[in-house]
Amino acid sequence: MSTHQNNGQNGSNCRDKQIIVVMVPLPAQGHLNQLLHLSRLISSHNIPVYYLGTATHNRQAKTRIHGWDPIAISNIHFHDCPTPSFQKPPPNPNAPTKFPSHLIPTFFATLELRQPIYQLILELAVNTPRIIVIYDSLMPYVIQDVVPSIPNAESYCFHSTSAFTIYSFLWEAIGKPDVPEAELFKQVLLPPRESSFPQKMAEYAQLQTESRKVNSGNIFNSCREIEGSYLDVLAKFRLSDTDKYWALGPFNPVFIPEEKNQQGKRHKCLEWLDKQAPNSVIFVSFGTTTSLSDEEIKELAIGLEKSEQNFIWVVRDADKGDIFEGEEVRRAQLPEGYEKRIEGRGLIVRDWAPQLEILGHISTGGFMSHCGWNSTMESISMGVPIAAWPMHSDQPRNAILITQLLKIGVNVRDWSRGDEVVRSKTIENAVRRLMDSSEGEEMRNRVVKLSDAVKKSMADGREMDSFIVHICR
């Protein structure tokens, strides 16, 4: 039975042990989502899970969850921490880089959660033999007081990016030594790290690194079938003072139940997909942290139209610090008459789209993506090849893993020419290459085989069982 539905024998053992797991996510959608999925997996073993965040970000996580019914999981307790005040600038589609600098004030505001989170964990620890704190790798500052002063608490660092990306950054940071593990990088040209992160974000990350005092283990949203070699070299490198690590991914469900909203109806895009041929639609979405400029939207619109391929395109700006506050920042303009011209072949979605269900639909045959790790894992899980258009942070390196190492995708954006607008002809060619060529079909077959291997590993459940046994020891 898949770990995603398994309540297993380990669950009763853990209930006897009376442990509690506390999740501390970074307040950005890709991070909130991954730890909420992990909460679901752990709670299925009859372990109470406390998911900590501000009321706004807890609401965001619950509102956007897809692929499962959160109401069915009663062991997840959402704890609303006091909401710090912080600036909430809108996303800037014309910014010189695609990094979501407008969210940095949100990240710095989390520093004020240090005392409230410590106080909650202290209260939970009074009547619980063991507290397991799983914190985002960009959130150790707020839990730094927990382990030193609460003897029955343990902390585990969750890494939201690929093992390949993490090790490549570490290898560069120590001077690119000529060690056997370096062979893993000789066939690729790694993008420069400094091009992806603004200085203010680097300062926030450094503060988190300095606060990582005690760590009992490391958790990855990955699995050996996808990047076993890089998980192995990370284990040798030792990210912290422990050699314990678990690759528990994919966190997202790998089998998708029929998705319905509160009125019992499926999202309109799923109804539209039902009418399309198998593997005939490319899904276009760049996540929650990227805004395209007007020029980029125009080029993408033309490229998709001229490709003559069916598509679903999510046209929306990046998230604000508070997604529920105020109106939409901008309604991006498409070329005049565009939606009429693509009617029947293309679908424009301007609201929140159920990405996992779209990727899991039989009609979806490709995914044009920013290559965020959350989206990458979902695409691999569903057996969908990727047209890689990285925007910032870890995404350029994830794109390398996708296109050059796993060979399950094509490049749209050449990262070495990152300052240039991707033109419609480049987009058209990439879409045709992925969706309508023998090369694209080979990639599709390759990712389907990888998806099958991932699903088999999740059904086996050994990695998750190992982690559950460890925290219940």
Side-chain angles (χ1 to χ4, degrees), residues 161-420:
T161 57
S162 66
F164 168 77
T165 292
I166 294 171
Y167 185 74
S168 69
F169 280 157
L170 291 172
W171 178 66
E172 289 181 326
I174 59 176
K176 299 183 180 180
D178 187 15
V179 293
E181 291 81 5
E183 292 291 329
L184 295 169
F185 303 113
K186 285 189 175 179
Q187 59 181 303
V188 300
L189 180 63
L190 296 173
R193 178 175 186 170
E194 59 273 11
S195 65
S196 302
F197 302 96
Q199 180 59 35
K200 198 66 177 175
M201 188 62 198
E203 292 173 9
Y204 176 82
Q206 182 61 33
L207 179 63
Q208 303 303 319
T209 299
E210 293 169 354
S211 304
R212 195 175 294 133
K213 298 176 180 178
V214 180
N215 184 28
S216 297
N218 298 283
I219 297 172
F220 300 88
N221 182 11
S222 189
C223 63
R224 304 199 63 79
E225 286 69 21
I226 296 174
E227 47 175 357
S229 298
Y230 305 104
L231 289 164
D232 286 343
V233 296
L234 273 179
K236 294 179 182 178
F237 190 88
R238 293 188 66 156
L239 288 169
S240 56
D241 56 359
T242 176
D243 59 358
K244 293 183 173 62
Y245 76 106
W246 292 269
L248 302 179
F251 292 172
N252 58 267
V254 295
F255 297 100
I256 307 300
E258 183 174 302
E259 172 72 9
K260 293 184 178 181
N261 64 20
Q262 292 179 349
Q263 286 74 41
K265 296 180 181 179
R266 300 162 74 217
H267 193 281
K268 65 178 181 180
C269 66
L270 299 176
E271 302 282 354
W272 185 85
L273 278 170
D274 289 342
K275 302 172 185 177
Q276 313 307 316
N279 293 326
S280 66
V281 177
I282 184 168
F283 174 52
V284 182
S285 179
F286 301 110
T288 58
T289 63
T290 296
S291 296
L292 297 183
S293 68
D294 291 340
E295 185 180 11
E296 289 171 318
I297 288 172
K298 178 183 176 182
E299 294 292 332
L300 177 53
I302 295 171
L304 289 173
E305 183 178 9
K306 289 187 174 181
S307 76
E308 300 183 336
Q309 302 300 307
N310 295 350
F311 63 88
I312 293 178
W313 178 12
V314 179
V315 184
R316 58 188 300 275
D317 270 352
D319 281 349
K320 299 176 291 184
D322 182 347
I323 67 170
F324 303 105
E325 184 177 81
E327 300 297 323
E328 184 180 5
V329 175
R330 172 185 73 141
R331 183 178 175 85
Q333 295 300 308
L334 298 171
E336 186 176 353
Y338 184 77
E339 293 190 62
K340 183 67 175 177
R341 294 199 304 273
I342 64 165
E343 190 172 351
R345 185 169 65 79
L347 181 67
I348 303 298
V349 178
R350 292 186 181 272
D351 58 355
W352 180 254
Q355 177 168 296
L356 197 58
E357 285 77 19
I358 293 172
L359 292 173
H361 198 285
I362 190 173
S363 296
T364 303
F367 181 22
M368 184 178 290
S369 171
H370 61 303
C371 304
W373 190 236
N374 213 32
S375 292
T376 299
M377 288 296 285
E378 290 182 359
S379 199
I380 292 174
S381 299
M382 298 298 115
V384 177
I386 297 172
W389 190 331
M391 300 291 180
H392 62 81
S393 306
D394 60 318
Q395 297 164 15
R397 296 181 187 228
N398 292 340
I400 287 174
L401 178 65
I402 291 163
T403 60
Q404 299 185 43
L405 300 174
L406 297 176
K407 301 183 186 306
I408 57 170
V410 301
N411 278 315
V412 180
R413 182 187 190 189
D414 181 349
W415 189 254
S416 67
R417 301 167 65 182
D419 293 337
E420 301 178 16

Side-chain angles (χ1 to χ4, degrees), residues 1-10 41 43-45 465:
M1 179 180 291
S2 169
T3 309
H4 292 98
Q5 289 88 29
N6 184 26
N7 285 323
Q9 294 181 354
N10 290 322
L41 292 176
S43 71
S44 71
H45 291 264
D465 288 346

